[in-house]
Amino acid sequence: MDKTKIAAQMYSVRKELEQDPENTFRSLKEIGFEAVQLDGMRGHKASEIKELVNKYGFKIAGMHIKHDRFFNDLDGIISESLLFGCKTIYDKYIDDEEQHTEGYIKTKAQLVTTQSSLGKIGFRIGLHCPEYDFNNIVEGRTILDYITDPVFGTGVYAEPDTYWISVAGKNPIEEFKKFSGRAPIVHLKDYIEGFSPDDMDNNLTELGNGDVDFRAIVDWGEKSGVEYYCIEQDYSKIGIFNSLAKSFDHLMSF
């Protein structure tokens, strides 16, 4: 596999970034990553993180932005995106208090409006795959389907996630196929069947250790416009950099 298309989701190293940003970026580079997906600055100035991104030669595989900022801080989002030279931005997670029909409808309206306006200057606005609410229904559609369905030709991009789709009891590759051409970045983390959906301590693992067919995901992605395969490891039992290295090596084996 082309290593330049494999990215590290920085949520994976959120604690490490907060404590030692230099070592965090150095360690990711040593694993072999050439791209990262940003997930907040973790207490540091954006300019400081930008310096490290440049120092270690990382490409930016999209940016995750807090939900409320799409409603209250569009100017800040634009400024941050331009600083990092990345116009692909995702609502990272619909806030818990907005995970109901009215909140989903409001979220879709705001993201579509943002895409409609910022799309004119090259931005791509997307939604990271929702979590335990994946199967909730709005207007006859599950959440990711509903929010990314186009409105008068304007659609929000999808960022489907193998783990959360598996938690929802769905087949990741079948769900991913819905978003061919509309998912420039996808999230990869493995899932072990047989545990409770909310038992992340046991059902989350490194790529290649669980039940997700990542070769099928990559085969689909190479035909469907995927630009980055973003590895995310929410937690690790073997050390986060070890987990990321194992997952990176698994993708590189394809």
Side-chain angles (χ1 to χ4, degrees), residues 6 10 15 26 36 39 47 49 51 53 62 101 105-106 112 138 162 168 173 178 189-190 207 219 221 223 234 240:
I6 305 175
M10 295 299 288
K15 296 178 182 177
R26 182 191 303 115
V36 296
D39 186 79
S47 59
I49 299 300
E51 287 179 6
V53 166
T101 298
I105 292 172
K106 182 174 70 172
V112 169
V138 178
T162 55
I173 188 62
K178 296 178 181 179
K189 48 182 178 276
D190 214 342
L207 306 194
D219 287 346
K223 300 172 185 175
D234 294 48
I240 194 62

Side-chain angles (χ1 to χ4, degrees), residues 26-72:
R26 182 191 303 115
S27 298
L28 292 174
K29 194 70 173 184
E30 289 172 351
I31 289 171
F33 287 105
E34 296 186 9
V36 296
Q37 185 177 72
L38 298 177
D39 186 79
M41 303 299 113
R42 301 297 166 180
H44 306 287
K45 293 180 180 178
S47 59
E48 295 172 347
I49 299 300
K50 172 62 172 173
E51 287 179 6
L52 291 171
V53 166
N54 290 347
K55 178 177 179 178
Y56 289 97
F58 285 108
K59 299 292 186 182
I60 303 299
M63 301 173 65
H64 272 203
I65 304 294
K66 287 184 177 180
H67 181 73
D68 67 287
R69 292 186 67 192
F70 284 94
F71 295 87
N72 305 314

